[in-house]
mmCIF file of all heavy atoms in Angstrom:
data_model
loop_
_atom_site.group_PDB
_atom_site.id
_atom_site.type_symbol
_atom_site.label_atom_id
_atom_site.label_comp_id
_atom_site.label_asym_id
_atom_site.label_seq_id
_atom_site.Cartn_x
_atom_site.Cartn_y
_atom_site.Cartn_z
ATOM 1 N N PRO A 741 37.703 -41.099 63.414
ATOM 2 C CA PRO A 741 39.099 -41.124 63.980
ATOM 3 C C PRO A 741 40.155 -40.337 63.182
ATOM 4 O O PRO A 741 40.918 -39.673 63.739
ATOM 5 C CB PRO A 741 39.423 -42.716 63.964
ATOM 6 C CG PRO A 741 38.102 -43.302 63.921
ATOM 7 C CD PRO A 741 37.218 -42.490 63.152
ATOM 8 N N GLY A 742 39.974 -40.339 61.884
ATOM 9 C CA GLY A 742 40.886 -39.512 61.030
ATOM 10 C C GLY A 742 40.635 -38.021 61.312
ATOM 11 O O GLY A 742 41.644 -37.239 61.342
ATOM 12 N N LEU A 743 39.351 -37.568 61.565
ATOM 13 C CA LEU A 743 39.164 -36.109 61.827
ATOM 14 C C LEU A 743 39.659 -35.662 63.109
ATOM 15 O O LEU A 743 40.337 -34.741 63.256
ATOM 16 C CB LEU A 743 37.711 -35.968 61.721
ATOM 17 C CG LEU A 743 36.771 -36.122 60.391
ATOM 18 C CD1 LEU A 743 35.442 -36.015 60.564
ATOM 19 C CD2 LEU A 743 37.509 -35.118 59.356
ATOM 20 N N ARG A 744 39.648 -36.676 64.081
ATOM 21 C CA ARG A 744 40.274 -36.344 65.379
ATOM 22 C C ARG A 744 41.730 -36.190 65.398
ATOM 23 O O ARG A 744 42.442 -35.263 65.784
ATOM 24 C CB ARG A 744 39.882 -37.536 66.436
ATOM 25 C CG ARG A 744 38.405 -37.477 66.872
ATOM 26 C CD ARG A 744 38.163 -38.610 67.954
ATOM 27 N NE ARG A 744 38.931 -38.360 69.149
ATOM 28 C CZ ARG A 744 38.915 -39.022 70.181
ATOM 29 N NH1 ARG A 744 37.985 -39.925 70.223
ATOM 30 N NH2 ARG A 744 39.659 -38.796 71.247
ATOM 31 N N GLU A 745 42.342 -37.025 64.476
ATOM 32 C CA GLU A 745 43.849 -37.042 64.418
ATOM 33 C C GLU A 745 44.216 -35.701 63.744
ATOM 34 O O GLU A 745 45.201 -35.084 63.988
ATOM 35 C CB GLU A 745 44.260 -38.219 63.453
ATOM 36 C CG GLU A 745 45.759 -38.235 63.212
ATOM 37 C CD GLU A 745 46.197 -39.415 62.464
ATOM 38 O OE1 GLU A 745 45.427 -40.390 62.225
ATOM 39 O OE2 GLU A 745 47.319 -39.312 61.956
ATOM 40 N N CYS A 746 43.424 -35.343 62.619
ATOM 41 C CA CYS A 746 43.812 -34.062 61.889
ATOM 42 C C CYS A 746 43.514 -32.823 62.587
ATOM 43 O O CYS A 746 44.204 -31.839 62.446
ATOM 44 C CB CYS A 746 42.982 -34.064 60.531
ATOM 45 S SG CYS A 746 43.383 -35.274 59.232
ATOM 46 N N ALA A 747 42.576 -32.802 63.631
ATOM 47 C CA ALA A 747 42.372 -31.763 64.323
ATOM 48 C C ALA A 747 43.428 -31.344 65.267
ATOM 49 O O ALA A 747 43.544 -30.267 65.679
ATOM 50 C CB ALA A 747 41.023 -31.991 65.266
ATOM 51 N N ILE A 748 44.301 -32.255 65.765
ATOM 52 C CA ILE A 748 45.365 -31.934 66.582
ATOM 53 C C ILE A 748 46.678 -32.222 65.902
ATOM 54 O O ILE A 748 47.810 -32.318 66.582
ATOM 55 C CB ILE A 748 45.382 -32.778 67.827
ATOM 56 C CG1 ILE A 748 45.332 -34.227 67.553
ATOM 57 C CG2 ILE A 748 44.194 -32.339 68.654
ATOM 58 C CD1 ILE A 748 45.490 -35.142 68.681
ATOM 59 N N TYR A 749 46.736 -32.270 64.464
ATOM 60 C CA TYR A 749 47.844 -32.422 63.689
ATOM 61 C C TYR A 749 49.023 -31.433 63.967
ATOM 62 O O TYR A 749 48.754 -30.208 63.829
ATOM 63 C CB TYR A 749 47.571 -32.539 62.287
ATOM 64 C CG TYR A 749 48.789 -32.700 61.366
ATOM 65 C CD1 TYR A 749 49.324 -34.015 61.242
ATOM 66 C CD2 TYR A 749 49.303 -31.689 60.585
ATOM 67 C CE1 TYR A 749 50.463 -34.176 60.369
ATOM 68 C CE2 TYR A 749 50.425 -31.869 59.808
ATOM 69 C CZ TYR A 749 51.001 -33.193 59.708
ATOM 70 O OH TYR A 749 52.020 -33.392 58.949
ATOM 71 N N GLY A 750 50.086 -31.924 64.462
ATOM 72 C CA GLY A 750 51.348 -31.041 64.550
ATOM 73 C C GLY A 750 51.243 -30.226 65.919
ATOM 74 O O GLY A 750 52.075 -29.367 66.151
ATOM 75 N N LEU A 751 50.264 -30.470 66.707
ATOM 76 C CA LEU A 751 50.175 -29.793 68.083
ATOM 77 C C LEU A 751 51.037 -30.579 69.171
ATOM 78 O O LEU A 751 51.051 -31.775 69.121
ATOM 79 C CB LEU A 751 48.831 -29.648 68.490
ATOM 80 C CG LEU A 751 47.810 -28.781 67.632
ATOM 81 C CD1 LEU A 751 46.484 -28.830 68.207
ATOM 82 C CD2 LEU A 751 48.401 -27.387 67.494
ATOM 83 N N LYS A 752 51.536 -29.761 70.092
ATOM 84 C CA LYS A 752 52.351 -30.422 71.143
ATOM 85 C C LYS A 752 51.774 -30.013 72.469
ATOM 86 O O LYS A 752 51.066 -28.918 72.714
ATOM 87 C CB LYS A 752 53.764 -29.917 71.102
ATOM 88 C CG LYS A 752 54.484 -30.242 69.828
ATOM 89 C CD LYS A 752 55.941 -29.509 69.809
ATOM 90 C CE LYS A 752 56.664 -30.006 68.622
ATOM 91 N NZ LYS A 752 57.962 -29.452 68.519
ATOM 92 N N LYS A 753 51.784 -30.912 73.435
ATOM 93 C CA LYS A 753 51.118 -30.621 74.793
ATOM 94 C C LYS A 753 52.160 -30.246 75.829
ATOM 95 O O LYS A 753 53.383 -30.543 75.721
ATOM 96 C CB LYS A 753 50.383 -31.898 75.200
ATOM 97 C CG LYS A 753 49.246 -32.326 74.470
ATOM 98 C CD LYS A 753 48.733 -33.675 75.120
ATOM 99 C CE LYS A 753 47.404 -34.069 74.323
ATOM 100 N NZ LYS A 753 46.820 -35.368 74.900
ATOM 101 N N ASP A 754 51.714 -29.505 76.701
ATOM 102 C CA ASP A 754 52.593 -29.202 77.906
ATOM 103 C C ASP A 754 52.471 -30.256 78.925
ATOM 104 O O ASP A 754 51.927 -31.264 78.715
ATOM 105 C CB ASP A 754 52.217 -27.788 78.479
ATOM 106 C CG ASP A 754 50.860 -27.624 79.017
ATOM 107 O OD1 ASP A 754 50.178 -28.833 79.170
ATOM 108 O OD2 ASP A 754 50.322 -26.621 79.341
ATOM 109 N N PHE A 755 53.093 -29.957 80.060
ATOM 110 C CA PHE A 755 53.185 -30.968 81.091
ATOM 111 C C PHE A 755 51.791 -31.399 81.557
ATOM 112 O O PHE A 755 51.411 -32.413 82.093
ATOM 113 C CB PHE A 755 53.916 -30.519 82.250
ATOM 114 C CG PHE A 755 53.910 -31.322 83.559
ATOM 115 C CD1 PHE A 755 54.735 -32.488 83.546
ATOM 116 C CD2 PHE A 755 53.175 -31.112 84.613
ATOM 117 C CE1 PHE A 755 54.870 -33.269 84.709
ATOM 118 C CE2 PHE A 755 53.203 -31.906 85.722
ATOM 119 C CZ PHE A 755 53.996 -32.981 85.810
ATOM 120 N N TYR A 756 50.690 -30.386 81.473
ATOM 121 C CA TYR A 756 49.355 -30.597 81.952
ATOM 122 C C TYR A 756 48.514 -31.216 80.964
ATOM 123 O O TYR A 756 47.345 -31.291 81.188
ATOM 124 C CB TYR A 756 48.737 -29.349 82.651
ATOM 125 C CG TYR A 756 49.590 -28.750 83.727
ATOM 126 C CD1 TYR A 756 50.459 -27.663 83.411
ATOM 127 C CD2 TYR A 756 49.559 -29.239 85.045
ATOM 128 C CE1 TYR A 756 51.327 -27.115 84.416
ATOM 129 C CE2 TYR A 756 50.299 -28.720 86.040
ATOM 130 C CZ TYR A 756 51.251 -27.569 85.700
ATOM 131 O OH TYR A 756 51.939 -27.177 86.715
ATOM 132 N N GLY A 757 48.944 -31.521 79.817
ATOM 133 C CA GLY A 757 48.139 -32.038 78.726
ATOM 134 C C GLY A 757 47.478 -30.981 77.848
ATOM 135 O O GLY A 757 46.617 -31.354 77.103
ATOM 136 N N ASN A 758 47.825 -29.670 78.090
ATOM 137 C CA ASN A 758 47.171 -28.699 77.194
ATOM 138 C C ASN A 758 48.118 -28.476 75.823
ATOM 139 O O ASN A 758 49.217 -28.499 76.037
ATOM 140 C CB ASN A 758 47.027 -27.320 77.920
ATOM 141 C CG ASN A 758 46.212 -27.502 79.203
ATOM 142 O OD1 ASN A 758 45.062 -28.066 79.074
ATOM 143 N ND2 ASN A 758 46.733 -26.923 80.306
ATOM 144 N N TYR A 759 47.292 -28.237 74.790
ATOM 145 C CA TYR A 759 47.924 -27.952 73.531
ATOM 146 C C TYR A 759 48.542 -26.520 73.573
ATOM 147 O O TYR A 759 47.766 -25.605 73.695
ATOM 148 C CB TYR A 759 47.097 -28.185 72.340
ATOM 149 C CG TYR A 759 46.685 -29.701 72.115
ATOM 150 C CD1 TYR A 759 45.455 -30.142 72.618
ATOM 151 C CD2 TYR A 759 47.684 -30.604 71.684
ATOM 152 C CE1 TYR A 759 45.066 -31.476 72.496
ATOM 153 C CE2 TYR A 759 47.278 -32.014 71.488
ATOM 154 C CZ TYR A 759 46.080 -32.442 71.930
ATOM 155 O OH TYR A 759 45.642 -33.671 71.791
ATOM 156 N N ILE A 760 49.867 -26.330 73.368
ATOM 157 C CA ILE A 760 50.400 -25.117 73.567
ATOM 158 C C ILE A 760 51.108 -24.588 72.416
ATOM 159 O O ILE A 760 51.258 -23.367 72.156
ATOM 160 C CB ILE A 760 51.452 -25.032 74.725
ATOM 161 C CG1 ILE A 760 52.498 -26.070 74.575
ATOM 162 C CG2 ILE A 760 50.702 -25.300 76.005
ATOM 163 C CD1 ILE A 760 53.735 -26.050 75.511
ATOM 164 N N GLU A 761 51.576 -25.506 71.491
ATOM 165 C CA GLU A 761 52.278 -24.927 70.241
ATOM 166 C C GLU A 761 52.142 -26.063 69.136
ATOM 167 O O GLU A 761 51.710 -27.082 69.320
ATOM 168 C CB GLU A 761 53.768 -24.656 70.581
ATOM 169 C CG GLU A 761 54.413 -25.900 71.162
ATOM 170 C CD GLU A 761 56.042 -25.602 71.365
ATOM 171 O OE1 GLU A 761 56.299 -24.340 71.619
ATOM 172 O OE2 GLU A 761 56.818 -26.476 71.344
ATOM 173 N N GLY A 762 52.566 -25.591 68.020
ATOM 174 C CA GLY A 762 52.440 -26.421 66.887
ATOM 175 C C GLY A 762 52.783 -25.625 65.496
ATOM 176 O O GLY A 762 53.079 -24.454 65.544
ATOM 177 N N SER A 763 52.586 -26.309 64.456
ATOM 178 C CA SER A 763 52.881 -25.701 63.193
ATOM 179 C C SER A 763 51.821 -24.588 62.941
ATOM 180 O O SER A 763 50.700 -24.639 63.257
ATOM 181 C CB SER A 763 52.610 -26.701 61.972
ATOM 182 O OG SER A 763 52.710 -26.022 60.829
ATOM 183 N N ARG A 764 52.458 -23.394 62.504
ATOM 184 C CA ARG A 764 51.606 -22.191 62.326
ATOM 185 C C ARG A 764 51.364 -21.898 60.815
ATOM 186 O O ARG A 764 50.830 -20.799 60.492
ATOM 187 C CB ARG A 764 52.433 -21.003 62.890
ATOM 188 C CG ARG A 764 52.812 -21.311 64.458
ATOM 189 C CD ARG A 764 53.789 -20.219 64.815
ATOM 190 N NE ARG A 764 54.291 -20.469 66.175
ATOM 191 C CZ ARG A 764 55.256 -19.704 66.752
ATOM 192 N NH1 ARG A 764 55.681 -18.685 66.185
ATOM 193 N NH2 ARG A 764 55.641 -20.002 68.037
ATOM 194 N N ALA A 765 51.756 -22.777 60.015
ATOM 195 C CA ALA A 765 51.480 -22.546 58.510
ATOM 196 C C ALA A 765 49.972 -22.383 58.244
ATOM 197 O O ALA A 765 49.287 -23.161 58.943
ATOM 198 C CB ALA A 765 52.162 -23.819 57.660
ATOM 199 N N GLU A 766 49.623 -21.537 57.509
ATOM 200 C CA GLU A 766 48.289 -21.249 57.233
ATOM 201 C C GLU A 766 47.508 -22.448 56.883
ATOM 202 O O GLU A 766 46.364 -22.699 57.249
ATOM 203 C CB GLU A 766 48.090 -20.043 56.270
ATOM 204 C CG GLU A 766 46.687 -19.719 56.026
ATOM 205 C CD GLU A 766 46.322 -18.680 54.933
ATOM 206 O OE1 GLU A 766 47.315 -18.571 54.067
ATOM 207 O OE2 GLU A 766 45.313 -18.005 54.839
ATOM 208 N N GLU A 767 48.042 -23.197 55.943
ATOM 209 C CA GLU A 767 47.277 -24.404 55.474
ATOM 210 C C GLU A 767 47.087 -25.393 56.562
ATOM 211 O O GLU A 767 46.010 -26.139 56.499
ATOM 212 C CB GLU A 767 48.000 -24.986 54.257
ATOM 213 C CG GLU A 767 49.286 -25.439 54.436
ATOM 214 C CD GLU A 767 50.424 -24.368 54.046
ATOM 215 O OE1 GLU A 767 50.025 -23.201 54.071
ATOM 216 O OE2 GLU A 767 51.540 -24.791 53.918
ATOM 217 N N ILE A 768 48.105 -25.495 57.533
ATOM 218 C CA ILE A 768 47.969 -26.508 58.502
ATOM 219 C C ILE A 768 46.978 -26.053 59.586
ATOM 220 O O ILE A 768 46.105 -26.786 60.148
ATOM 221 C CB ILE A 768 49.360 -26.726 59.275
ATOM 222 C CG1 ILE A 768 50.308 -27.314 58.233
ATOM 223 C CG2 ILE A 768 49.247 -27.628 60.486
ATOM 224 C CD1 ILE A 768 49.910 -28.640 57.580
#
Side-chain angles (χ1 to χ4, degrees):
L743 294 175
R744 289 185 56 174
E745 179 183 346
C746 290
I748 58 173
Y749 177 76
L751 295 180
K752 297 179 182 179
K753 293 183 177 181
D754 62 10
F755 177 78
Y756 301 101
N758 298 315
Y759 293 104
I760 57 171
E761 59 181 22
S763 174
R764 306 168 188 176
E766 183 183 19
E767 59 270 18
I768 299 298

